[in-house]
């Protein structure tokens, strides 16, 4: 069984992030940072692996678990699991979820990143 490798997935998510800058709509214009973590970032993905994406936006009126639906990830060749944080939530993450935050800091391959979120 074949499954997309890290290079293929990295290329697809990079293209997706580049298109955020040209897309119209509120969701696209508020993205400050975007990257991926997990098995594809560690280069140990296998058949059935999904792509774990982290996105930081300026603000959102939507609950955390509904923000994922703002974007169409259909151009990514594997299933996508996205975590979409507002700037405020991102700043609170080190104290609210320190272990997960540490993982994000250590693993994330940032494709678009503002200086404030490095």
């Amino acid at each position: 069984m074949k499954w997309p490798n890290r290079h293929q997935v990295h290329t697809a998510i990079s293209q997706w992030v580049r298109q955020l800058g040209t897309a119209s709509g509120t969701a696209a214009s508020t993205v400050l940072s975007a990257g991926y973590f997990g098995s594809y970032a560690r280069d140990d993905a296998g058949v059935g692996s999904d792509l774990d994406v982290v996105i930081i936006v300026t603000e959102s009126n939507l609950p955390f678990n509904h923000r994922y639906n703002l974007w169409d990830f259909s151009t990514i060749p594997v299933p996508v699991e996205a975590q979409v944080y507002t700037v405020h939530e991102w700043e609170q993450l080190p104290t609210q979820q320190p272990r997960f935050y540490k993982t994000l800091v250590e693993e994330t391959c940032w494709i678009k990143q503002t200086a404030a979120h490095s």
Side-chain angles (χ1 to χ4, degrees):
M1 185 177 267
K2 290 191 79 161
W3 197 255
N5 63 34
R6 183 177 196 261
H7 176 74
Q8 292 167 313
V9 171
H10 178 84
T11 300
I13 191 69
S14 296
Q15 178 67 27
W16 184 86
V17 170
R18 275 193 303 278
Q19 290 177 346
L20 287 176
T22 61
S24 60
T26 312
S29 64
T30 62
V31 174
L32 299 174
S33 301
Y36 62 96
F37 63 100
S39 61
Y40 276 101
R42 294 187 307 266
D43 200 17
D44 61 10
V47 172
S49 292
D50 67 354
L51 180 63
D52 299 301
V53 172
V54 59
I55 299 171
I56 302 171
V57 297
T58 53
E59 58 188 17
S60 178
N61 296 339
L62 293 174
F64 183 79
N65 58 343
H66 290 266
R67 295 178 198 154
Y68 171 87
N69 297 322
L70 291 174
W71 292 281
D72 176 7
F73 293 101
S74 63
T75 59
I76 311 300
V78 296
V80 173
E81 180 72 32
Q83 307 289 318
V84 183
Y85 295 96
T86 64
V87 171
H88 177 73
E89 291 165 343
W90 180 257
E91 291 169 349
Q92 299 300 312
L93 205 58
T95 55
Q96 293 182 349
Q97 295 183 44
R99 290 179 66 191
F100 184 57
Y101 180 78
K102 182 178 186 251
T103 297
L104 288 174
V105 168
E106 292 174 354
E107 286 187 5
T108 302
C109 294
W110 293 104
I111 297 173
K112 175 181 182 176
Q113 185 176 25
T114 61
H117 306 106
S118 39

